[in-house]
Amino acid sequence: MRRSSTVLTALTALGLLFAGSASAETIRFGVTAGPHAQIAEALVPVAKAKGLDVEVVEFSDGALIDPATDDGDLDANGFQHTPYLNQQNKDRGLAVAAVGSKTVLLPMAGYSRKVKSLAELPDGAQVTIPNDPSNLGRALKLLEAGGLIKLTPGLTFNATELDIIDNPKNIKIIPLETAQLPRSLEDVDFSVITSHFALSAGLKPNRDAILVEDQLSDYFCLIGVAEKNKDAPWVKTLVEAYKSPEVKAFVEKTFEGNVIAGW
């Protein structure tokens, strides 16, 4: 009886193993190349250990990711902050929901090849900032925090150049495509750049920037899924894998404080 019991136990365990393998799900996870892709690759083995296979899909154009998530070509994404997602949903008529708030923060910062402090910026300095609406307002708030401009009170990421009510240095603000901002440093006095593009250009906020934003919760990134999928069991597994001790350790070691884990 003991031998039969042992064999039965082994067969039962084997059966459970195969059942677990059969029930494992595979999802497609969209990210932009660079830090977000690196972090996604780090979560793959963590998710796999939890029974979720994650296929990382890199995009060179982040504007394509939410539409692909909305129409089902992607199951989830991890590359954006709340203001950007809200703008995408509004402008494109999408229904993408945030399910993993405060994943990582890629701080926005200001850089210069010509001066070493904000006080050294000349009158009429040329300043480049992102031209997409959510990051444009974010950049203006950073310039305000640095004392370069003053905005209409009460505005957040929805601020525009028209909301500038004081500009003591008469700086000239030049909105550009985000990918062009690091290159603009050779031609302008100052540029406000998100860490995604700064790091790709070899710039580090905690080493090279002369103005860095605070850890504002509105700009922590999130995990996005189609609204209809937000309560799917695999979503909880994905969020747990992303916000795991293993991924946090990877972020801290790899980015040395230039990308901040929010958990």
Side-chain angles (χ1 to χ4, degrees), residues 106-111 193-196 198-199 202-213 255 257-259:
L106 280 70
M108 181 174 277
Y111 304 85
I193 310 171
T194 61
S195 286
H196 174 82
L199 291 170
L203 297 167
K204 295 185 177 181
N206 61 10
R207 183 192 67 193
D208 304 310
I210 58 177
L211 178 63
V212 183
E213 73 180 356
F255 301 108
N258 293 295
V259 176

Side-chain angles (χ1 to χ4, degrees), residues 43-58:
L43 76 83
V44 168
V46 182
K48 190 172 184 64
K50 296 177 180 290
L52 182 65
D53 289 328
V54 178
E55 178 187 344
V56 178
V57 184
E58 288 189 29

Side-chain angles (χ1 to χ4, degrees), residues 5-255:
S5 176
T6 302
V7 171
L8 179 60
T9 301
L11 289 174
T12 300
L14 188 60
L16 289 173
L17 176 62
F18 283 128
S21 299
S23 64
E25 294 186 74
T26 299
I27 65 161
R28 289 166 57 84
F29 188 66
V31 293
T32 47
H36 289 301
Q38 292 174 267
I39 296 167
E41 293 292 350
L43 76 83
V44 168
V46 182
K48 190 172 184 64
K50 296 177 180 290
L52 182 65
D53 289 328
V54 178
E55 178 187 344
V56 178
V57 184
E58 288 189 29
F59 285 73
S60 57
D61 184 355
L64 301 176
I65 297 179
D66 280 324
T69 304
D70 183 70
D71 66 23
D73 287 340
L74 295 173
D75 299 289
N77 65 59
F79 76 105
Q80 64 193 322
H81 51 59
T82 299
Y84 181 86
L85 174 60
N86 290 345
Q87 194 74 43
Q88 287 282 293
N89 281 337
K90 178 182 176 182
D91 292 348
R92 299 186 175 211
L94 306 178
V96 177
V99 294
S101 61
K102 293 196 75 169
T103 54
V104 293
L105 175 68
L106 280 70
M108 181 174 277
Y111 304 85
S112 178
R113 304 280 194 210
K114 298 181 179 180
V115 300
K116 294 182 178 180
S117 71
L118 296 178
E120 294 178 18
L121 281 175
D123 188 76
Q126 292 186 318
V127 177
T128 53
I129 65 173
N131 68 355
D132 66 279
S134 60
N135 281 315
L136 184 147
R138 181 183 180 186
L140 291 175
K141 293 295 288 185
L142 180 60
L143 294 176
E144 182 179 48
L148 293 176
I149 60 172
K150 186 175 181 180
L151 298 168
T152 302
L155 294 176
T156 56
F157 63 87
N158 55 345
T160 71
E161 299 103 304
L162 298 177
D163 297 306
I164 298 172
I165 59 175
D166 191 24
N167 185 356
K169 282 184 175 284
N170 300 303
I171 63 173
K172 182 179 180 182
I173 295 175
I174 306 169
L176 290 179
E177 290 287 338
T178 49
Q180 297 178 20
L181 292 169
R183 293 194 293 272
S184 75
L185 280 172
E186 301 303 324
D187 303 311
V188 301
D189 300 286
F190 189 71
S191 184
V192 178
I193 310 171
T194 61
S195 286
H196 174 82
F197 291 96
L199 291 170
S200 297
L203 297 167
K204 295 185 177 181
N206 61 10
R207 183 192 67 193
D208 304 310
I210 58 177
L211 178 63
V212 183
E213 73 180 356
D214 293 331
Q215 294 185 25
L216 303 174
S217 60
D218 280 347
Y219 300 111
F220 271 90
C221 293
L222 53 88
I223 294 172
V225 301
E227 183 78 31
K228 63 184 179 182
N229 291 331
K230 67 178 183 179
D231 296 318
W234 60 262
V235 171
K236 182 179 179 182
T237 304
L238 176 63
V239 173
E240 288 177 350
Y242 197 118
K243 303 176 86 168
S244 64
E246 295 92 335
V247 174
K248 184 173 186 176
F250 172 83
V251 170
E252 292 175 345
K253 180 179 179 180
T254 303
F255 301 108

